[in-house]
Amino acid sequence: LDKKVKQNNWEEGNFINYKKMSENLAIVRSRLNRPLAYAEKILYSHLDDPHGQEIERGVSYLRLRPDRVACQDATAQMAILQFMSAGMPSVANPTTVHCDHLIEAQQGGEKDLARAVGINKEVYDFLASACGMFSLGFWKPGSGIIHQILLENYAFPGGLLIGTDSHTPNAGGLGMAAIGVGGADAVDVMANLPWELKAPKVIGVKLTGSLSGWTSPKDIILKVAGILTVKGGTGAIVEYFGPGVDSLSATGMGTICNMGAEIGATTSLFPFNDRMYDYLKATKRTEIGDFARSYAKELRQDDGAEYDQLIEINLSELEPHINGPFTPDLATPISKFAEAAKANNWPDEVKVGLIGSCTNSSYEDMSRAASIARDALNHGIKSKALFTVTPGSEQIRATIARDGQLQTFEEFGGVVLANACGPCIGQWDRQDVKKGEANSIISSYNRNFTGRNDGNPATHSFVTSPDLVVAMSIAGSLSFNPLTDTLKDKDGKDFKLSPPTGNGLPERGYDPGQDTYQAPPKDRANVTVQVSPTSDRLQLLSPFNAWDGKDATDMPILIKAQGKTTTDHISMAGPWLKYRGHLDNISNNMLIGAINAANGEANKIKNFTTGEWDAVPAVARDYKAKGIRWVVIGDWNYGEGSSREHAALEPRHLGGLAIITRSFARIHETNLKKQGMLPLTFSDPADYDRINPDDKVDILCTELAVGKPITLRVKPANGEAFEIPLSHTFNEAQIEWFKNGSALNTMAKKTKN
Ligand code: MIC
Ligand code: SF4
């Protein structure tokens, strides 16, 4: 283990530290004296203090030393702005930035990229120069989607990575613990502070049997999402194991880990195996593969490892699934899907099929999808639905251009979009239906919240494997089941599609395509970062005020949100992505998608000072101008979805004090704490119903202490005041964030002393 093996082919001087990891693990083993899950091994081998750290799953806060940090352009802006306020000369740990979210799909790859480079010039220049100045690796627009680039270049077995994007767990396909976080967490690691994570529970998923026919890796996670639901993975790492694992490619495992974000899991993981070795070799990292083999014993669970919950799936019996609409955990097997579509009145016509994205754009995905498209073409038919392809990376695009799959998609009627997020995050200039028109689309993406892809709340968005997307696009109908149903060929004769086939890895190796990487310059003396004071896209941050030391009284409820309140509802993406570097401007989207319990409507709330109904951001700004702090009441799993810390920064910026919910999604809860907000939960979730949107509330902030409830005093307009206990997960250090106004203020205070 003494060997010096580089983490990747791009950086000098950053090595894989299996030696240190095994030493740390030995210390923890001698303390815990029990078999460990793989997830535990990775985390505990990255402890800042393996001797002294308290370790209890689901209870202790672990202080960890991640190997790397990754940010994508839509979250990197805020992360870097915060890092700049920390005043350090360069990042202390290897960090990369990836330009993928800001490219809008309109006409096709090349044109859209050129347009994006023009429109986003100011932001790209800011990111590129900040990367140069603070020594981060920069992946230019066109390079591909962060998670695909990480898998191809940076992920390694046993490593610990944090990324400012919720789908960072994609790197679990190479046995890495890769965890999505908000920008402020990333700043901690960039600034060399330990990174804190509540010791996760571990959910085991045992895979037996093997995949075949129309069933693909995606169906495993679609099924798991159905079992665990959008909040079932909260506070847990999902760890896969068992004989079925060997029938999956590394990229297939990546897909499964990626979409673990949809069940709220901290991350998902597969043990190191030969399929990962093959992928490392194919991506020119044989040395890492060999090194991992020498440490293989610790790159899997111990015999007898204990899981907090165990799920078993027999892959030989697993059917293809389609999940949705509107939520990724509504899982329906293909054999029941036509029936479900009818029973629920989902629009039968498939308007658009979309493959690719960070979830499903491996060589294998593209090859299998192309084999189905080719089958249709051989029968003289094409896609009935509109069809788009977003390659996950420039390397994938170049390789499928060389090997012919891309031409097949074009012949099939497809449009190949830029190597970027595109329609997955609402960067889609969709023309085929009008806003408000009910319609169905089907994609190989991971998320399908209301309005996410095209801003149309009436769009029924379904997620499934690329294979089924292609099949349903050919039929143009949700009632089609490729396993049992026939199609008509060009002469009107019936035929059945053959099950997909395709290589996991390209026989002729990957074609890297165009060079899209900018390494940090050796001499950084002349690099400067510019933020124009008149910019509408970038704004330097000013510190939030510290807590005044008092209980907060007579606060209005800005909105009592009812039902699903995802980060897309709290801080919408799509057209708003352009303000991700400008806190005041992006705050104009705060909670505009949340449904007000008072009237069942979005973005219409009562301003108690005037009695007028108005937009949420407008009322919040009015309260702020009048010096009135406010709270939000939320439902279950509040803040599920994205890692975007804007969803926490905006309420902070507009004068919110607390978000009180039935429960939170992990990343959002941490983001709120980091920005000096109070994320609180009803100790008894039924108390949610006792609150009326017109009530005033007091929060006894002075009670805030580790492990103790805090009192909410509810004052109804007409009626007796009553008290409700609220729970929280603050630890000592996090309470300081609240007191100082934010984690960043706390950091600044420490560096001053
Ligand atoms: C998403 O898939 O929702 C995003 C857009 O990638 C987000 C990040 C963001 O909002 O910038 C995520 O998953 O964290
Ligand atoms: Fe991009 Fe969509 Fe993946 Fe998020 S889920 S990183 S928006 S492709």
Side-chain angles (χ1 to χ4, degrees):
L1 297 181
D2 266 332
K3 278 210 332 234
K4 286 214 157 216
V5 175
K6 285 194 292 180
Q7 280 190 20
N8 55 69
N9 296 331
W10 300 100
E11 300 162 349
E12 302 298 326
N14 296 327
F15 300 101
I16 297 179
N17 217 337
Y18 287 150
K19 181 150 184 278
K20 178 83 191 295
M21 284 164 59
S22 82
E23 288 164 5
N24 285 354
L25 205 52
I27 298 166
V28 174
R29 273 190 196 291
S30 70
R31 294 177 47 204
L32 297 183
N33 235 329
R34 61 171 170 84
L36 300 174
Y38 181 33
E40 294 186 281
K41 290 192 189 181
I42 301 188
L43 293 181
Y44 305 161
S45 64
H46 285 85
L47 283 175
D48 182 48
D49 173 14
H51 287 285
Q53 169 75 56
E54 213 177 273
I55 300 172
E56 195 184 334
R57 290 193 334 206
V59 178
S60 343
Y61 276 94
L62 303 178
R63 290 161 69 81
L64 298 160
R65 292 285 177 182
D67 297 297
R68 329 187 39 87
V69 179
C71 306
Q72 42 89 340
D73 51 2
T75 49
Q77 300 170 57
M78 223 20 115
I80 289 176
L81 287 166
Q82 293 178 79
F83 182 76
M84 282 164 63
S85 6
M88 306 203 28
S90 62
V91 291
N93 286 296
T95 305
T96 49
V97 168
H98 304 263
C99 295
D100 51 3
H101 279 64
L102 301 179
I103 303 171
E104 189 187 29
Q106 198 177 54
Q107 291 175 287
E110 261 171 66
K111 284 192 185 139
D112 294 349
L113 177 61
R115 183 166 161 264
V117 169
I119 294 177
N120 302 313
K121 184 171 186 314
E122 180 184 7
V123 170
Y124 291 146
D125 286 350
F126 167 73
L127 291 174
S129 57
C131 285
M133 179 150 177
F134 300 114
S135 206
L136 293 77
F138 180 68
W139 288 81
K140 298 175 203 163
S143 58
I145 307 172
I146 176 170
H147 310 304
Q148 185 66 31
I149 304 275
L150 291 173
L151 200 67
E152 288 173 358
N153 298 277
Y154 294 103
F156 62 88
L160 177 64
L161 162 87
I162 60 168
T164 58
D165 191 281
S166 68
H167 294 105
T168 305
N170 192 65
L174 274 179
M176 182 173 224
I179 302 180
V181 298
D185 280 42
V187 171
D188 285 348
V189 179
M190 294 182 201
N192 216 20
L193 297 175
W195 170 66
E196 232 179 34
L197 176 74
K198 179 80 112 16
K201 299 196 169 177
V202 189
I203 299 176
V205 180
K206 183 173 178 188
L207 302 178
T208 59
S210 62
L211 290 178
S212 64
W214 284 91
T215 310
S216 75
K218 182 71 163 279
D219 298 304
I220 299 175
I221 184 62
L222 294 174
K223 169 88 184 169
V224 169
I227 298 171
L228 286 174
T229 80
V230 289
K231 52 184 196 299
T234 310
I237 295 186
V238 181
E239 177 167 313
Y240 294 81
F241 61 95
V245 167
D246 294 325
S247 69
L248 308 176
S249 60
T251 51
M253 297 188 247
T255 297
I256 296 167
C257 294
N258 175 303
M259 214 185 143
E262 270 53 67
I263 53 171
T266 301
T267 191
S268 301
L269 270 177
F270 279 85
F272 175 62
N273 67 3
D274 289 346
R275 307 301 297 271
M276 294 183 190
Y277 184 91
D278 296 342
Y279 184 77
L280 285 167
K281 194 167 157 202
T283 49
K284 305 200 170 66
R285 292 174 289 169
T286 310
E287 216 193 335
I288 296 181
D290 290 330
F291 197 33
R293 279 188 170 163
S294 71
Y295 185 60
K297 190 169 99 10
E298 303 299 8
L299 297 174
R300 50 174 298 118
Q301 77 284 9
D302 291 339
D303 289 338
E306 280 165 30
Y307 296 103
D308 296 279
Q309 184 180 351
L310 189 65
I311 294 171
E312 195 166 326
I313 297 177
N314 181 347
L315 303 184
S316 307
E317 289 168 4
L318 181 66
E319 272 192 71
H321 278 66
I322 300 179
N323 289 20
F326 308 122
T327 183
D329 58 354
L330 182 59
T332 312
I334 185 73
S335 60
K336 304 259 158 55
F337 191 71
E339 204 181 303
K342 213 183 230 136
N344 292 292
N345 264 329
W346 297 333
D348 185 73
E349 184 190 350
V350 173
K351 287 274 189 193
V352 193
L354 311 99
I355 64 165
S357 94
C358 66
T359 322
N360 267 123
S361 59
S362 65
Y363 189 77
E364 180 177 52
D365 291 332
M366 293 296 156
S367 305
R368 286 172 60 106
S371 79
I372 307 167
R374 179 53 62 195
D375 192 14
L377 290 170
N378 288 343
H379 287 89
I381 59 171
K382 295 185 181 186
S383 179
K384 205 178 249 174
L386 297 174
F387 185 75
T388 71
V389 183
T390 37
S393 69
E394 167 61 7
Q395 172 160 290
I396 289 289
R397 189 209 55 78
T399 309
I400 63 172
R402 181 196 67 196
D403 293 351
Q405 294 91 338
L406 202 141
Q407 290 74 3
T408 300
F409 293 137
E410 285 177 342
E411 235 180 277
F412 179 63
V415 180
V416 179
L417 301 171
N419 314 319
C421 300
C424 177
I425 192 53
Q427 291 281 37
W428 187 18
D429 185 12
R430 187 176 176 193
Q431 300 289 355
D432 66 300
V433 297
K434 288 201 197 64
K435 283 265 152 74
E437 185 183 328
N439 74 99
S440 293
I441 63 174
I442 187 162
S443 78
S444 71
Y445 306 167
N446 42 25
R447 272 189 187 144
N448 53 1
F449 303 140
T450 308
R452 175 172 171 99
N453 304 113
D454 57 2
N456 178 2
T459 294
H460 293 54
S461 171
F462 297 89
V463 292
T464 185
S465 66
D467 306 341
L468 282 212
V469 174
V470 178
M472 311 297 265
S473 301
I474 300 170
S477 155
L478 286 185
S479 350
F480 177 65
N481 176 354
L483 284 78
T484 53
D485 301 348
T486 55
L487 293 163
K488 298 253 184 257
D489 73 5
K490 65 172 189 317
D491 305 318
K493 277 216 306 274
D494 286 342
F495 78 100
K496 242 179 102 178
L497 288 170
S498 307
T501 54
N503 286 343
L505 296 166
E507 260 164 41
R508 296 161 60 197
Y510 284 103
D511 180 336
Q514 292 175 33
D515 182 8
T516 49
Y517 177 67
Q518 171 195 299
K522 291 236 157 50
D523 176 13
R524 296 185 284 115
N526 295 323
V527 194
T528 52
V529 182
Q530 305 280 337
V531 174
S532 155
T534 57
S535 170
D536 68 341
R537 297 201 53 181
L538 294 166
Q539 181 187 41
L540 292 174
L541 294 168
S542 23
F544 295 124
N545 291 337
W547 174 50
D548 61 8
K550 300 190 195 125
D551 291 336
T553 52
D554 293 314
M555 291 181 292
I557 294 163
L558 182 72
I559 179 171
K560 178 178 176 184
Q562 137 197 322
K564 213 172 180 60
T565 311
T566 72
T567 43
D568 282 0
H569 297 90
I570 307 170
S571 175
M572 200 189 182
W576 293 92
L577 282 173
K578 64 170 174 292
Y579 299 121
R580 284 289 183 88
H582 196 294
L583 180 54
D584 194 52
N585 283 348
I586 199 162
S587 295
N588 290 331
N589 78 357
M590 188 186 72
L591 283 159
I592 60 177
I595 301 301
N596 183 4
N599 54 5
E601 288 183 55
N603 206 20
K604 196 168 171 198
I605 59 170
K606 190 151 90 191
N607 182 329
F608 88 94
T609 63
T610 61
E612 305 280 320
W613 293 80
D614 206 342
V616 184
V619 177
R621 281 193 194 275
D622 187 51
Y623 289 169
K624 181 179 178 180
K626 292 172 176 156
I628 303 168
R629 308 274 329 241
W630 46 263
V631 305
V632 169
I633 304 290
D635 218 319
W636 293 107
N637 207 27
Y638 184 94
E640 88 178 77
S642 163
S643 66
R644 60 190 77 142
E645 61 195 329
H646 308 78
L649 277 158
E650 294 174 26
R652 180 72 171 106
H653 174 62
L654 295 186
L657 177 80
I659 312 286
I660 306 163
T661 69
R662 291 172 129 147
S663 71
F664 285 101
R666 172 188 60 91
I667 306 177
H668 186 61
E669 183 183 16
T670 308
N671 286 345
L672 287 166
K673 287 181 186 168
K674 286 248 149 161
Q675 302 305 340
M677 298 277 300
L678 291 174
L680 306 168
T681 53
F682 296 106
S683 304
D684 175 1
D687 283 341
Y688 169 91
D689 293 319
R690 297 175 66 196
I691 302 211
N692 195 300
D694 285 333
D695 297 347
K696 294 273 164 36
V697 298
D698 300 345
I699 295 182
L700 307 192
C701 305
T702 49
E703 291 178 354
L704 185 62
V706 178
K708 302 239 170 69
I710 169 167
T711 306
L712 179 75
R713 194 177 297 133
V714 185
K715 301 165 163 170
N718 346 293
E720 291 266 306
F722 58 95
E723 292 189 348
I724 286 179
L726 300 176
S727 303
H728 66 83
T729 60
F730 279 90
N731 64 20
E732 249 2 298
Q734 295 170 341
I735 290 178
E736 291 306 304
W737 303 345
F738 171 70
K739 290 186 174 161
N740 293 321
S742 69
L744 211 56
N745 289 355
T746 310
M747 192 192 287
K749 206 165 150 184
K750 278 200 192 125
T751 38
K752 247 186 244 143
N753 292 342

